[in-house]
Amino acid sequence: MTENEKYLYDHFLISIKSGFDSLEDIITDALEAVEDEGWESEITEEWIRDTFSKEYAKNEAASKTWQHPTDTEKLHTVFDNLCKQKIVALHNAGYTQSDAIYDVQDVWQDLEDSGVKPVGYCYYHGQDLERVIETGTLCIGFYGEKEKNDKEAIIVGNKVVSQLKEQGFTVNWDGSASKRIEVVDFNWQNVFTSDDDVDEKWGYDRVLDLMEE
């Protein structure tokens, strides 16, 4: 495997293990990345399809042996419970913190337009997803209703931590508004089933549905 093949492999292995994307979408994204980098003479479509198909099959086969609920399934429960407490809880929100905040604001506005008043929010973004798959530590960002209101943020942070601990997670947090919550020894286990299933389980519409109940 060349250096550029290894780079592509490492990057898209995260996408495979995340369980949020179909094999064809991952292959399409990989082909676009090769074109953008000008690696067409080095990395062929055949290599991409063969390599990623094998890894995708490995993740699917491994999923048959997972003990349930997995950590990922327990996280799903945590975020759903937080939504029921009027906290906007977003999975895989963009790629960076600024992306995540933008998505939160978008969902928040939709909720207010529907007559729902959130009390705060929490999220993890794409970089956090990469980190938890690679290191086993999941960072969760959070804040309250108003900007620069540490008291509200800490209240939300404590609710997030309480739900995480209720599901048996080990949590590191210093109790401050400036420190993100860390869930340690997190084993990310997820497998793609369908686009509809991903939208239903992890998408933003679930937040609207749960918070409007």
Side-chain angles (χ1 to χ4, degrees), residues 32-174:
E32 289 177 356
V34 167
E35 183 178 355
D36 290 344
E37 296 293 339
W39 294 340
E40 294 97 329
S41 62
E42 177 187 347
I43 303 177
T44 66
E45 179 176 346
E46 182 182 8
W47 181 87
I48 289 173
R49 287 191 175 278
D50 182 60
T51 303
F52 292 172
S53 294
K54 287 178 180 176
E55 292 300 332
Y56 208 86
K58 283 182 186 178
N59 194 53
E60 285 189 327
S63 71
K64 310 299 184 187
T65 67
W66 294 343
Q67 297 293 313
H68 296 280
T70 65
D71 285 352
T72 313
E73 289 166 341
K74 289 189 287 186
L75 179 68
H76 183 270
T77 299
V78 168
F79 273 37
D80 279 5
N81 287 342
L82 290 168
C83 286
K84 293 173 184 176
Q85 296 179 37
K86 297 298 184 281
I87 295 172
V88 177
L90 300 186
H91 296 279
N92 196 26
Y95 187 67
T96 65
Q97 182 174 349
S98 60
D99 293 338
I101 300 304
Y102 178 85
D103 287 355
V104 166
Q105 291 171 341
D106 196 31
V107 174
W108 195 293
Q109 186 60 57
D110 285 345
L111 286 163
E112 289 192 333
D113 290 345
S114 300
V116 178
K117 188 69 172 177
V119 300
Y121 64 84
C122 67
Y123 64 87
Y124 60 92
H125 50 60
Q127 290 177 335
D128 296 323
L129 184 59
E130 290 178 356
R131 189 178 301 113
V132 69
I133 291 173
E134 292 173 343
T135 70
T137 297
L138 176 65
C139 293
I140 298 177
F142 64 93
Y143 217 77
E145 179 185 353
K146 300 182 182 67
E147 289 187 27
K148 300 180 180 178
N149 188 320
D150 287 358
K151 183 177 180 180
E152 285 185 358
I154 291 169
I155 290 172
V156 171
N158 277 311
K159 288 182 177 180
V160 175
V161 168
S162 175
Q163 285 295 322
L164 288 166
K165 288 184 175 180
E166 192 171 305
Q167 292 297 318
F169 287 115
T170 302
V171 180
N172 288 337
W173 181 49
D174 65 3

Side-chain angles (χ1 to χ4, degrees), residues 3-52:
E3 182 178 344
N4 289 335
E5 285 174 339
K6 182 68 165 57
Y7 172 84
L8 199 72
Y9 172 85
D10 289 343
H11 179 77
F12 285 100
L13 185 62
I14 298 293
S15 298
I16 291 169
K17 290 186 175 182
S18 75
F20 291 137
D21 300 301
S22 70
L23 176 59
E24 280 305 313
D25 283 345
I26 291 170
I27 289 172
T28 297
D29 289 345
L31 289 170
E32 289 177 356
V34 167
E35 183 178 355
D36 290 344
E37 296 293 339
W39 294 340
E40 294 97 329
S41 62
E42 177 187 347
I43 303 177
T44 66
E45 179 176 346
E46 182 182 8
W47 181 87
I48 289 173
R49 287 191 175 278
D50 182 60
T51 303
F52 292 172

